[in-house]
Amino acid sequence: METHFELNEVTKKLPTHLHKFVVKQPYDEYTAQNQAVWRYVMRMNVDYLGKVAHESYLEGLDKTGISVDTIPRMEGMNRILKEIGWAAVSVDGFIPPNAFMEFQAYNVLVIASDMRTIDHIKYTPAPDIIHEAAGHAPIIANPEYAEYLRRFGEIGAKAISSARDYEMYEAIRLLSILKENPNSTTKEIQEAQEKVEWLQNNMGALSEMAQIRNLHWWTVEYGLIGTLENPKIYGAGLLSSIGESKWCMQDSVQKLPYTLEASNVSFDITKPQPQLFVTPDFAHLSLVLEQYANTMGIRKGGLSGINKLIDSKNLGTIELSTGIQISGVFTNVITDQNNKPIYIQTTGGTALANRDKELIGHGTHYHKEGFGSPIGKLKGINIPIENMSPRDLEAYGIYEGKIVSLEFEGGVKVEGEVITGTRDLRGRILLISFKNCTVTHFDTVLFHPDWGIYDMAVGVDVISAYAGPADVSSFEDIGKVSETKTHKINYSSEDKRLYGLYTELRKARETNTVTEEMISNTLGILKNDFPNDWLLVLELFELAVEKDYTVQEEIKKHLDNLKSNEEYASLIENGVSLLSEEEVL
């Protein structure tokens, strides 16, 4: 199978419908300033997080092949990640939640390929490679956490979304792209911000996907572990943000025990969170996840599960008590006087399956107009059809060539000539096909003989309802790639000239050819032509201190002048402080 990305022992197991989300990592597009931003953030993080992060963090950086000095390449990460049974692929920013979860279920980290700009060095609203690679990857070296992440993906991929969830995803994606792009206008950002805020206030009842995304946010992204009095950081959003990793430890940020209630606590990606949740250990995360899964349609089924699928207006699956699975876009359910579902209906291409494998002859091309079937027991007969032996079926006239009239509890009636039945390997009947068939619910015609063969699914109850198809191969195109693409930043000639200075210094540092004259000349150019650039000045200072060049005093004076700008005063201060600590060591 040919793909546009590298396959290994892990990624070759990905279903083909996920391939369209994978992009080639644009490594050559990372500027030398991007590399310097990575190095700055990672040096700050390793120094600070070594004190406040879970012990798995520093160990995990080594195990997952993430360097402090250089933005990682996917190929290099994959060679090391495969040793712990994981892989990484590059994607374009945010991808739809169900797809994100499904990648995770296959032990694949999705890594946003963009790199934050220097203007968002403390925190970026867009997912970037610092967040994904340096935030998520290290903690999965912990086996207990890695299994939680995989299981979360497996369950989360089946969570049912509301029709508004995808709209919210697109709005957040656009806002994050605009905020990260220095060429965006204030008007563009404001309009996108207002759209997100409007949606947040008008989402209605939280869908399963909204709730499971809340759990993901308060654990995988912003989770703390340990005690309320002395928590450690393990969430990727905190591990990848030099600002928020310090902010979250303040007493002003409320620390709450992590429980199922976190599923009802929504978040705002554009603002610092007023509270965070603390799990006592990684095993507790899995306990809460299972508690939540017990509330989902995939485990509860019933009318609530069907209604969730109808409200979602998206592809979903219900499974009946016999094991037959019906996958399509559900549009209608009929209930009896006790509010029990007695008939379900899909519209458009529908596939039938058993044990996640499509039933032969019952794909979307055959059921291209939709599918409908009664649910429940026959009126006045104690034995459900699914429990009838061949002798029982014969006694009730349900066999090949027989014209029957089957009236179900709740008033659905199926009248027609039996053609055949479909059974599973255990002999349980899943499906009965009729010709010349009429299906009614009192005066409402649900199926007319002119419409062709009628296939009736067999089952007393809906035992499961979940997002997506039972058999992924039944549908040609599952999931949708956003039409809003990450903006490629347009660099001016002056930007490129500045990045050239970063490149020269980086090469000189790597080859150990830095001279005092080079540092002095570069400092002079920065003072005259790029008076607001602080990061390259900090790198010059680092090298001058390391080499004990006398020019370090002049650089330090320039850094002190730059600190008059509040936007990056603390960044400079932290960088200088780190150098002082390293000198002591």
Side-chain angles (χ1 to χ4, degrees):
M1 177 176 64
E2 289 190 16
T3 63
H4 57 287
F5 60 95
E6 180 186 20
L7 290 177
N8 58 30
E9 290 302 308
V10 178
T11 55
K12 72 180 182 182
K13 296 175 184 176
L14 286 172
T16 54
H17 70 269
L18 291 178
H19 291 187
K20 61 179 171 286
F21 294 104
V22 182
V23 301
K24 179 178 175 58
Q25 184 187 15
Y27 204 90
D28 293 340
E29 294 180 17
Y30 299 141
T31 68
Q33 189 184 67
N34 288 151
Q35 294 283 2
V37 167
W38 169 276
R39 185 170 179 270
Y40 177 90
V41 172
M42 291 303 296
R43 292 178 75 232
M44 291 294 111
N45 278 354
V46 169
D47 175 68
Y48 175 67
L49 293 174
K51 309 178 187 77
V52 300
H54 186 265
E55 59 188 15
S56 299
Y57 174 72
L58 291 181
E59 296 173 10
L61 283 177
D62 291 333
K63 288 183 180 179
T64 51
I66 296 171
S67 163
V68 169
D69 290 318
T70 309
I71 297 172
R73 294 179 182 270
M74 291 299 105
E75 296 85 353
M77 282 188 67
N78 274 321
R79 280 193 290 273
I80 298 171
L81 282 171
K82 71 178 181 181
E83 300 300 322
I84 57 175
W86 281 72
V89 293
S90 183
V91 298
D92 179 31
F94 284 116
I95 64 173
N98 285 94
F100 178 89
M101 299 289 183
E102 196 172 358
F103 273 106
Q104 208 166 278
Y106 283 92
N107 284 23
V108 176
L109 285 176
V110 288
I111 295 185
S113 54
D114 286 323
M115 176 67 196
R116 71 187 63 178
T117 61
I118 193 170
D119 296 331
H120 293 112
I121 194 167
K122 287 185 179 180
Y123 166 79
T124 174
D128 79 330
I129 198 165
I130 292 181
H131 172 84
E132 309 285 9
H136 285 293
I139 305 298
I140 66 168
N142 180 291
E144 183 79 39
Y145 182 75
E147 173 55 19
Y148 166 71
L149 208 60
R150 184 202 67 78
R151 183 68 174 148
F152 197 106
E154 194 171 54
I155 292 171
K158 301 298 186 183
I160 302 170
S161 301
S162 71
R164 272 275 163 82
D165 284 334
Y166 194 81
E167 195 177 352
M168 173 61 90
Y169 152 72
E170 286 283 12
I172 289 176
R173 177 179 166 84
L174 176 61
L175 177 62
S176 67
I177 289 171
L178 291 173
K179 279 196 166 186
E180 184 58 33
N181 185 359
N183 299 319
S184 298
T185 66
T186 303
K187 184 174 182 290
E188 286 176 323
I189 294 174
Q190 184 177 346
E191 288 176 350
Q193 177 81 44
E194 289 172 355
K195 178 69 179 293
V196 169
E197 290 175 356
W198 186 89
L199 284 169
Q200 285 174 332
N201 295 327
N202 292 275
M203 289 296 289
L206 293 178
S207 68
E208 288 183 355
M209 179 53 74
Q211 288 184 305
I212 210 156
R213 283 184 67 223
N214 287 343
L215 292 181
H216 194 270
W217 182 266
W218 299 123
T219 61
V220 177
E221 297 293 352
Y222 275 75
L224 298 175
I225 186 169
T227 64
L228 296 180
E229 296 74 27
N230 185 31
K232 300 291 186 182
I233 297 171
Y234 73 92
L238 298 173
L239 291 175
S240 61
S241 171
I242 55 180
E244 290 191 291
S245 59
K246 291 186 177 180
W247 156 82
C248 76
M249 288 299 175
Q250 298 175 17
D251 292 339
S252 58
V253 179
Q254 188 180 13
K255 313 299 191 300
L256 301 172
Y258 180 61
T259 67
L260 186 58
E261 180 54 32
S263 65
N264 295 315
V265 181
S266 298
F267 57 90
D268 183 346
I269 70 161
T270 66
K271 300 173 184 175
Q273 310 307 317
Q275 79 287 303
L276 295 175
F277 293 89
V278 184
T279 182
D281 48 47
F282 288 140
H284 183 69
L285 298 180
S286 296
L287 172 66
V288 173
L289 177 61
E290 289 301 317
Q291 289 174 342
Y292 180 72
N294 287 335
T295 72
M296 293 172 63
I298 192 169
R299 294 189 181 175
K300 296 193 72 172
L303 179 62
S304 65
I306 300 169
N307 280 332
K308 287 177 183 178
L309 287 177
I310 292 173
D311 291 342
S312 77
K313 298 181 173 60
N314 284 309
L315 174 63
T317 298
I318 67 167
E319 182 175 334
L320 303 186
S321 46
T322 54
I324 190 169
Q325 297 159 311
I326 304 160
S327 300
V329 177
F330 288 83
T331 52
N332 188 34
V333 59
I334 301 173
T335 60
D336 63 13
Q337 58 188 9
N338 297 316
N339 219 26
K340 182 178 179 181
I342 59 172
Y343 195 89
I344 54 91
Q345 178 74 51
T346 67
T347 299
T350 302
L352 308 182
N354 178 237
R355 296 190 174 187
D356 300 337
K357 293 296 181 184
E358 183 177 297
L359 296 179
I360 294 173
H362 289 282
T364 56
H365 294 293
Y366 179 69
H367 297 290
K368 60 185 177 182
E369 303 296 334
F371 181 85
S373 182
I375 303 166
K377 295 170 63 176
L378 294 173
K379 187 176 181 180
I381 300 177
N382 289 328
I383 306 173
I385 294 176
E386 62 198 74
N387 293 336
M388 288 183 181
S389 65
R391 182 174 295 178
D392 293 326
L393 291 169
E394 184 176 357
Y396 290 109
I398 309 173
Y399 60 92
E400 183 182 350
K402 185 73 173 177
I403 297 174
V404 295
S405 177
L406 305 177
E407 185 175 355
F408 287 80
E409 293 176 347
V412 176
K413 187 180 290 186
V414 178
E415 298 174 291
E417 182 180 337
V418 177
I419 301 174
T420 187
T422 301
R423 297 178 182 273
D424 66 10
L425 287 172
R426 296 165 297 179
R428 176 173 286 188
I429 191 160
L430 303 175
L431 196 69
I432 301 174
S433 298
F434 301 83
K435 64 181 179 180
N436 301 320
C437 186
T438 301
V439 183
T440 57
H441 179 241
F442 301 118
D443 295 332
T444 303
V445 176
L446 301 172
F447 191 90
H448 192 277
D450 293 346
W451 299 350
I453 303 299
Y454 180 70
D455 299 289
M456 184 185 79
V458 176
V460 172
D461 298 302
V462 176
I463 62 169
S464 184
Y466 54 89
D471 185 340
V472 294
S473 64
S474 295
F475 294 81
E476 294 178 0
D477 191 26
I478 305 169
K480 178 183 175 185
V481 177
S482 176
E483 295 179 4
T484 304
K485 303 302 179 185
T486 300
H487 299 168
K488 298 302 179 186
I489 299 173
N490 296 318
Y491 297 113
S492 67
S493 57
E494 283 300 286
D495 290 333
K496 293 174 182 177
R497 183 166 164 251
L498 174 61
Y499 302 156
L501 296 175
Y502 274 91
T503 300
E504 290 172 10
L505 189 67
R506 183 180 182 84
K507 287 180 179 177
R509 184 176 63 239
E510 290 173 347
T511 56
N512 197 27
T513 56
V514 177
T515 64
E516 186 159 16
E517 181 183 9
M518 177 187 182
I519 291 176
S520 294
N521 289 340
T522 304
L523 178 64
I525 295 171
L526 290 173
K527 281 182 174 182
N528 292 326
D529 300 342
F530 305 100
N532 295 319
D533 188 274
W534 60 271
L535 183 54
L536 189 54
V537 180
L538 192 61
E539 292 207 341
L540 291 175
F541 185 59
E542 176 192 346
L543 289 167
V545 170
E546 181 184 312
K547 304 285 187 182
D548 197 25
Y549 291 150
T550 56
V551 72
Q552 65 182 275
E553 295 301 324
E554 185 182 353
I555 302 173
K556 181 65 167 61
K557 185 178 179 181
H558 184 48
L559 283 171
D560 288 338
N561 291 333
L562 286 169
K563 283 196 291 184
S564 62
N565 188 318
E566 292 183 2
E567 286 185 23
Y568 38 76
S570 62
L571 294 166
I572 295 171
E573 190 63 49
N574 291 339
V576 171
S577 297
L578 179 60
L579 290 177
S580 300
E581 290 176 21
E582 291 174 343
E583 282 295 297
V584 171
L585 295 174

